[in-house]
Amino acid sequence: DAKTTQPPSMDCAEGRAANLPCNHSTISGNEYVYWYRQIHSQGPQYIIHGLKNNETNEMASLIITEDRKSSTLILPHATLRDTAVYYCIVRVAGGGADGLTFGKGTHLIIQP
Amino acid sequence: DTAVSQTPKYLVTQMGNDKSIKCEQNLGHDTMYWYKQDSKKFLKIMFSYNNKELIINETVPNRFSPKSPDKAHLNLHINSLELGDSAVYFCASSLKGAEKLFFGSGTQLSVL
């Protein structure tokens, strides 16, 4: 069962920052927050992950609250190609070969 | 070069038939997975293999039999196909315990 709660859908204007929230109030101390996205008709794609510090890479930024009970994925300048379902996942790092447990995700729609 | 490739991309077949989906990865990973995405878009792990050894088998009917001839391949054989097997099947790979899973583009199976 997924340990995260996300809004089912969100809209964002092209060129604006898209901020996707995720609640993970039962996260354990050794669990990381991962974000993946799935563009229509494609396989899921890794975006970013973090433990407690904010993280940034070429795709996005991840802001994790101090109590680690929630996080926000930020796409700084959303484009139409960012329309996808975004999944927030909590998982123990180095979790062996147990894969990922996906929830329902947030369907982000970028409007022109 | 495609990192994780699945064939075929589309598979249409009759109930009761036996079919296979092939997966190959050229990333040097030691762990491979099969996921199923149903019509409601839920992504669920079916199997994981590490170094050709079965690690996870998530309450999947024994009509589904994964086979890993080597670390780079994980094929999925399905016997006596049923209507409920219709879904998109994704193969993925990673290094054991690594943060990133790399997914293939999926195989859409339609059982008529």
Side-chain angles (χ1 to χ4, degrees):
Chain A
D1 293 328
K3 301 179 183 179
T4 62
T5 304
Q6 300 177 250
S9 64
M10 292 182 62
D11 287 351
C12 179
E14 188 178 17
R16 305 296 294 267
N19 297 283
L20 292 94
C22 179
N23 287 323
H24 32 79
S25 58
T26 61
I27 191 170
S28 301
N30 62 347
E31 287 182 317
Y32 283 64
V33 180
Y34 294 81
W35 283 85
Y36 279 71
R37 74 179 181 184
Q38 186 175 22
I39 295 170
H40 181 62
S41 297
Q42 296 183 23
Q45 175 192 23
Y46 167 87
I47 301 174
I48 199 167
H49 76 284
L51 181 63
K52 54 184 178 181
N53 297 322
N54 298 337
E55 302 287 344
T56 296
N57 64 19
E58 66 279 3
M59 290 183 70
S61 294
L62 174 60
I63 308 298
I64 302 174
T65 57
E66 193 168 340
D67 63 7
R68 302 208 323 121
K69 293 185 177 182
S70 65
S71 60
T72 301
L73 179 74
I74 301 172
L75 308 179
H77 305 287
T79 70
L80 297 178
R81 288 180 297 179
D82 291 322
T83 292
V85 178
Y86 287 76
Y87 297 98
C88 171
I89 301 164
V90 295
R91 175 179 180 249
V92 176
D98 57 350
L100 299 167
T101 300
F102 289 82
K104 299 179 182 179
T106 295
H107 187 193
L108 175 67
I109 299 171
I110 306 301
Q111 304 282 1
Chain B
D1 288 339
T2 304
V4 182
S5 59
Q6 300 178 226
T7 53
K9 186 166 178 62
Y10 301 97
L11 184 54
V12 181
T13 188
Q14 300 287 330
M15 263 195 329
N17 283 351
D18 304 335
K19 290 293 178 184
S20 296
I21 306 172
K22 295 185 176 181
C23 180
E24 176 182 4
Q25 55 93 4
N26 62 5
L27 298 167
H29 290 163
D30 57 4
T31 305
M32 296 185 72
Y33 312 82
W34 277 108
Y35 279 80
K36 178 181 179 181
Q37 187 165 40
D38 61 24
S39 58
K40 295 183 178 179
K41 304 298 183 184
F42 291 119
L43 261 170
K44 292 186 177 180
I45 190 167
M46 300 173 67
F47 302 101
S48 75
Y49 267 73
N50 175 252
N51 284 322
K52 304 194 298 174
E53 182 180 342
L54 179 65
I55 303 297
I56 289 177
N57 181 343
E58 287 287 334
T59 60
V60 176
N62 57 15
R63 298 182 295 104
F64 290 78
S65 55
K67 287 185 170 55
S68 181
D70 54 57
K71 288 196 300 183
H73 296 83
L74 182 62
N75 303 322
L76 185 63
H77 302 275
I78 315 171
N79 295 325
S80 303
L81 277 155
E82 300 177 357
L83 293 176
D85 297 333
S86 295
V88 181
Y89 292 83
F90 289 98
C91 177
S93 74
S94 73
L95 289 171
K96 184 178 179 182
E99 298 84 9
K100 291 185 190 181
L101 268 64
F102 292 80
F103 285 81
S105 57
T107 295
Q108 184 165 339
L109 171 65
S110 299
V111 182
L112 307 178

